[in-house]
Amino acid sequence: MVGVLTASESEQVPEQVTAELDSALRAVGVTLPSLCVDPVSAASTFMAPLVELGRCNVETAQRLAEVLAEYAGGAAFGHDAYDGHGPEGRRR
């Protein structure tokens, strides 16, 4: 999880995280065409930079839902599945 960022990190970290998310989504067949760092929040000195997930077509939303459902049903990317118990969840 990202904590308080230095000025340099506040420029680099959002771009890096956005690229990692894009790569992970593409690896499972999901492309979010509007995925980017929100320029307003990135330029702000009062708020943390936000990642804009954007809008997508129905087919992309359906594929994303399928991937998330598959992950919720079992392990993916070497991580244990979340079982839905509380905010932290318990790992299986």
Side-chain angles (χ1 to χ4, degrees):
M1 180 159 272
V2 176
V4 177
L5 303 176
T6 66
S8 175
E9 290 171 333
S10 68
E11 294 176 14
Q12 297 170 357
V13 171
E15 291 291 344
Q16 179 183 351
V17 169
T18 301
E20 290 173 6
L21 177 58
D22 185 49
S23 178
L25 288 169
R26 287 177 188 269
V28 294
V30 176
T31 301
L32 295 179
S34 303
L35 182 64
C36 65
V37 176
D38 173 58
V40 174
S41 65
S44 175
T45 57
F46 299 105
M47 65 184 291
L50 301 173
V51 174
E52 177 68 49
L53 300 178
R55 300 174 354 175
C56 63
N57 63 32
V58 173
E59 291 172 4
T60 300
Q62 183 176 20
R63 178 63 185 139
L64 181 57
E66 290 169 357
V67 168
L68 292 172
E70 289 172 16
Y71 179 83
F77 294 113
H79 298 283
D80 292 330
Y82 173 73
D83 71 356
H85 289 88
E88 297 292 321
R90 288 190 298 233
R91 297 291 177 179
R92 293 186 208 171

